[in-house]
Amino acid sequence: IAMMKRGIILLTSLLTVIILVACQQKAEKTTDWLEGSWYSTDWDVTYQFDEEDDKWSIKDGNDVITQEATLSVEDNLYTLTDEKGMVYEIQQISQTEIKYRQIAPDGVLGTTVPIAFEKVDN
């Protein structure tokens, strides 16, 4: 009976750890903070980030920077990649500050240095 109790306690502890790790990873993957308007003083521009059906768009007013981009996340680096191969790196500094960098595929103009953006209250 003592061995059975140890086994149950071990199994329960293991399941608890697995659930906590899964919840932590899920919490880190949320993108709610990214959606909305972001302003860059360096470029004097406001970008609108939107997600719908797991596809992302970035707009500058009526101008579409990208649409139908897919998201991948590694630590605090959020990478959007569109069908043309353009990559948009968003490094989360805080809930209200990001570094944005655009990387063009080989042979295409459009690569930028990382630029600071601040969240705009809507």
Side-chain angles (χ1 to χ4, degrees):
I1 292 179
M3 276 302 268
M4 199 166 157
K5 274 186 175 178
R6 274 191 186 159
I8 290 173
I9 290 172
L10 182 62
L11 183 60
T12 304
S13 298
L14 185 61
L15 287 173
T16 302
V17 168
I18 290 171
I19 290 169
L20 288 173
V21 168
C23 288
Q24 174 101 16
Q25 288 176 341
K26 177 67 176 168
E28 290 173 2
K29 302 287 188 221
T30 185
T31 54
D32 293 345
W33 63 272
L34 180 57
E35 290 192 76
S37 298
W38 294 82
Y39 177 73
S40 168
T41 55
D42 293 334
W43 287 353
D44 189 25
V45 67
T46 300
Y47 280 179
Q48 178 74 30
F49 290 81
D50 289 306
E51 183 267 332
E52 188 173 323
D53 298 328
D54 291 329
K55 296 292 183 180
W56 284 83
S57 66
I58 305 172
K59 295 179 181 171
D60 172 9
N62 291 329
D63 297 328
V64 176
I65 307 299
T66 189
Q67 60 187 10
E68 301 289 314
T70 56
L71 175 70
S72 62
V73 180
E74 187 173 321
D75 296 326
N76 65 342
L77 184 65
Y78 294 73
T79 304
L80 297 172
T81 307
D82 69 17
E83 295 153 347
K84 299 173 191 163
M86 291 292 288
V87 174
Y88 306 88
E89 288 184 346
I90 298 109
Q91 180 182 10
Q92 183 181 18
I93 306 302
S94 70
Q95 291 290 98
T96 59
E97 185 180 354
I98 61 172
K99 292 279 186 177
Y100 169 90
R101 182 174 177 218
Q102 182 174 307
I103 303 167
D106 289 342
V108 178
L109 294 175
T111 299
T112 66
V113 296
I115 300 296
F117 278 77
E118 290 186 7
K119 186 80 176 212
V120 176
D121 290 330
N122 291 337

